[in-house]
Amino acid sequence: MDEHAVVVVGGGPTGLMLAGELGLAGIDVVVVERRAGQDLVGSRAGGLHARTIEVLDQRGIADRFLAEGTTAQVAGFAGVPLDISDFPTRHPYGLALWQEHIERILADWVRELGVPVRYGNEVAGLAQDDAGVDVELSGGRRLRARYLVGCDGGRSVVRRTVGVPFPGWDPTTSSLLAEVELTEEPDWGIHQDGVGKHAFRRPEDGGPVGVMVTERHVLSGREPTLRDLRDALVAVYGTDYGAHSPVWITRFTDMTRQAASYRIGRVLLAGDAAHVHAPDGGQGLNTGVQDAVNLGWKMAQVLEGVSPERLLDSYHAERHPVTARVLRTTMAQVALRRPDERIRAVTDTIAELLSMDEPRRRYAAMMSGLDIHYDLGAGHPLLGRRMPDLDLRTADGPTPVYRLLHEARPVLLDLGTPGGIGVGAWADRVRLVTAVHRGSWELPVLGPVPAPTAVLVRPDGHVAWVGDGSTSGLEAALTTWFGPPPGARALSGDRTGRAP
């Protein structure tokens, strides 16, 4: 039996991102993936939102993705484009890049970190005890891990095996996506009728035709066939255009479900294994990657003995509400695209509202992930939100904030009087950086916020504590997020003053 600290089940974007996070921390992690190799058959997600690009920038790998994709304004709600070009971020755009390329780039990064990805291994069973998890693979091989994370998609074997409830809503619509050969030329482009949206994409260099067709009757729960595709085309167009020789066929629905708990003992869930919803808005892959970044550093600290195991409970507490909002948002968008004149009147009204600046900013920040706010209590507007990627002046010269997060370690930024604050007993866990920032502090939607004198930034880029001239509350924040101090030494600096 092979033993590891963590087994990640699923080698998609969520699983690979989590493996990279754990690999950065030096954790013994292995990924098991049921596919025979990295190749991804079929169309999946088509891009990254701004916050996900920021997350990749925090690890120093965003340029790898930007070099292969096309930057564009990809945020939208119910078909209404939402421009974020005026947002306070280094990446005021999305990135058009198919999932197969996203996975390949992540897999290369994970490989560089020395994390093994074992393809052709499907989980056949698992059992956990107080000390770890035993995993049985389809070929008879067995693994033992202290923790297991299911990143194995909407039909997650991990979730079903441990019996996590998956409440939500059954599908009300289903569509087929395919690449096939046609003997008849179709009417190219996007069409809509009383059934739904349909489309034909012209082939490149004489290749297969891209087809999307909404099915007249909702189907789910089994792999689609060429017969399904032909029947759906006949129902809409009266002909199947001689569809044959499919490269791939897949089905998507608006089924909407969320795991009741993201953690059951030593088994955790992330990505589609924890939540499924319609593809409207392009939230799925991005939400999963951000799940991984929230969980990775916490699991690493627990495994290293730095933090108590209860830190893992904050993963569910923070990410479950974020995804619950995503689910509601996607359901609203599905409802607004129904082929009904009354619904179309509502959609037109929504479009008119979103053309106004304030609603546009609010919804664009939500759809791009730039407004995510973890509830860390009352205080400065920065608390619980993403740290802006400010241009700092440090002893090492000009430094963007996100460059300081490349190693996935927490950072305490001293932005006030040099030497007025310190990390004390946490010096081996938290990097102290003395810096100067000249300029305003601005957050999406909220606008300008008061400039702090110090900021404690978690490895996931979210702010855990904000200083206003004192260190009040700093020790508590350090203890909560980065474990109790190894000694009883007090932090340096002024310990008086009101809490931020």
Side-chain angles (χ1 to χ4, degrees), residues 58-324:
Q58 290 171 186
R59 298 300 178 256
I61 58 175
D63 287 347
R64 304 186 187 192
F65 298 85
L66 293 171
E68 295 202 24
T70 302
T71 58
Q73 294 301 320
V74 302
F77 183 85
V80 180
L82 298 171
D83 192 343
I84 65 169
S85 60
D86 59 345
F87 273 32
T89 170
R90 203 175 296 275
H91 304 286
Y93 44 73
L95 185 70
L97 185 64
W98 289 112
Q99 181 172 331
E100 61 181 306
H101 303 299
I102 294 171
E103 286 193 14
R104 173 176 48 78
I105 297 169
L106 283 173
D108 288 343
W109 177 54
V110 166
R111 193 176 300 111
E112 291 168 10
L113 295 171
V115 176
V117 180
R118 296 180 180 170
Y119 294 101
N121 284 278
E122 188 169 3
V123 171
L126 60 91
Q128 63 172 314
D129 52 43
D130 291 341
V133 185
D134 291 320
V135 187
E136 182 180 350
L137 301 179
S138 53
R141 193 172 188 172
R142 299 178 64 85
L143 302 175
R144 172 76 174 175
R146 290 178 61 185
Y147 290 96
L148 179 142
V149 186
C151 305
D152 52 338
R155 301 177 184 176
S156 171
V157 172
V158 173
R159 185 190 65 242
R160 286 180 290 166
T161 302
V162 298
V164 177
F166 203 40
W169 296 267
D170 290 332
T172 64
T173 181
S174 62
S175 299
L176 295 173
L177 284 175
E179 284 190 352
V180 296
E181 301 288 346
L182 301 180
T183 59
E184 304 172 26
E185 184 170 348
D187 187 7
W188 303 108
I190 299 174
H191 318 282
Q192 183 157 0
D193 59 14
V195 177
K197 281 189 176 181
H198 324 286
F200 290 100
R201 186 185 73 242
R202 287 184 182 273
E204 298 179 3
D205 302 325
V209 173
V211 179
M212 182 185 79
V213 58
T214 302
E215 296 175 289
R216 187 173 294 277
H217 302 290
V218 178
L219 295 174
S220 63
R222 64 176 176 81
E223 292 298 319
T225 65
L226 179 59
R227 171 54 60 187
D228 292 331
L229 180 65
R230 286 173 171 169
D231 289 346
L233 288 171
V234 169
V236 172
Y237 297 102
T239 176
D240 62 11
Y241 296 99
H244 66 95
S245 305
V247 179
W248 54 264
I249 306 174
T250 188
R251 175 182 283 117
F252 68 89
T253 75
D254 66 333
M255 181 172 69
T256 305
R257 298 187 180 278
Q258 186 175 22
S261 176
Y262 285 10
R263 180 189 176 201
I264 301 293
R266 292 181 172 271
V267 177
L268 297 97
L269 302 172
D272 288 354
H275 40 77
V276 295
H277 51 81
D280 299 60
Q283 302 292 293
L285 183 152
N286 292 269
T287 304
V289 168
Q290 292 170 37
D291 284 347
V293 175
N294 183 283
L295 175 61
W297 65 274
K298 296 173 181 178
M299 182 167 281
Q301 288 186 176
V302 171
L303 287 165
E304 291 167 344
V306 167
S307 294
E309 193 174 356
R310 65 176 178 271
L311 179 64
L312 294 177
D313 294 333
S314 69
Y315 166 61
H316 172 94
E318 292 181 349
R319 293 302 299 173
H320 195 277
V322 169
T323 305

Side-chain angles (χ1 to χ4, degrees), residues 18 267 409 461:
L18 179 60
V267 177
R409 290 186 57 200

